[in-house]
Structure formats: structure tokens, C-alpha cells
Amino acid sequence: MKRKIVSCASALFFLAIFNCKRDKPDPECRDASCCNPFNYDYVEYIVDEPVALTGPPYDVVYSFHFTRKFPTERREHYWTTGALVCEKSLIKLAGFPPTYDAKKEPKSFPYRVSGKLMDWNREKYLDLPILALYIDKIEKVN
């Protein structure tokens, strides 16, 4: 009898721990789980946007510079042309070298990127977006 109780209790324990639906990230990332759900809110999805990439050795972090301003739906003066790369998608940058020095404006936009754009939801020094991008697809333009 004691063995049955122990085995039933351990079965319930494992069912509770390995519940399939628990902590499953949203595939569309509307909960910002693909970047950092504690610090970012989902803004929009961008498709085949021309970008320039900077990162080491020019800058400490990887970031993109866009040809246009984001977020698309914005209020007055609340926009930017740059976005950090989410840490969870840095592996996708393998084989894509930085294309400009972060201290200068980029002269060309050799990559096209698609992904989920997030905005920093914590306290900011100025009322400007601090965007991060989770890369779904990146490709070099000829």
C-alpha cells in the first residue's frame, strides 16, 4: 500500500513538473518571450526591411540601422531608425559581418531582415523608443 501511494505521488509530481502547456512561448511572440518578456513589449512584425549591421569590433552590441523610422504607428517624435538584436537571435548573425562603424551613418544597406520588433517597457531617460529585433530571417542582398 505504501509503495502505491509513493508511486502515485511521484506520478502526480512528474505530471505537474512536465506539463506540456506550462511556460510554452507564444509562436507569434506577442508576449515578447522570444526576446525578454520582462523588459520588452511586442510592437510589430517587419518583413524584408533593408538594414545595415554594426557590432564588434565597431560597437559593443549588435544592432541594425533601418532605412525608415520605427515603430510604424507612432506618435510625434516617438520613433527611431535603430534596433538592438535580441540575445536569443544572435546565433542567426553567423556569416553576416558588420557593415558600418556605429559612429558614422551607414552608406549601404546590404541585408534584408524579417522579424519581431520589441520596445523597451522599463523606465527611459527620454521618451524615445528603445527597440530590439528578434530575427526570423536575414539575407544578403546582391
Side-chain angles (χ1 to χ4, degrees), residues 25-114:
D26 177 15
E28 293 180 8
C29 198
R30 297 209 186 277
D31 62 353
S33 60
C34 59
C35 200
N36 185 342
F38 303 109
N39 296 329
Y40 289 98
D41 291 325
Y42 176 85
V43 176
E44 65 185 290
Y45 190 82
I46 60 171
V47 178
D48 293 334
E49 195 64 39
V51 294
L53 174 67
T54 190
Y58 304 118
D59 200 359
V60 178
V61 295
Y62 283 98
S63 62
F64 289 116
H65 189 83
F66 300 105
T67 57
R68 63 187 182 108
K69 300 170 184 176
F70 286 99
T72 303
E73 293 184 19
R74 58 186 178 269
R75 61 184 191 268
E76 187 176 351
H77 302 293
Y78 192 79
W79 52 265
T80 186
T81 57
L84 301 170
V85 177
C86 287
E87 188 176 331
K88 292 181 180 181
S89 65
L90 285 174
I91 191 78
K92 297 178 182 179
L93 291 177
F96 295 95
T99 57
Y100 79 103
D101 184 346
K103 294 177 181 123
K104 303 175 189 171
E105 286 293 313
K107 294 183 173 113
S108 67
F109 297 87
Y111 303 130
R112 295 220 184 272
V113 70
S114 297

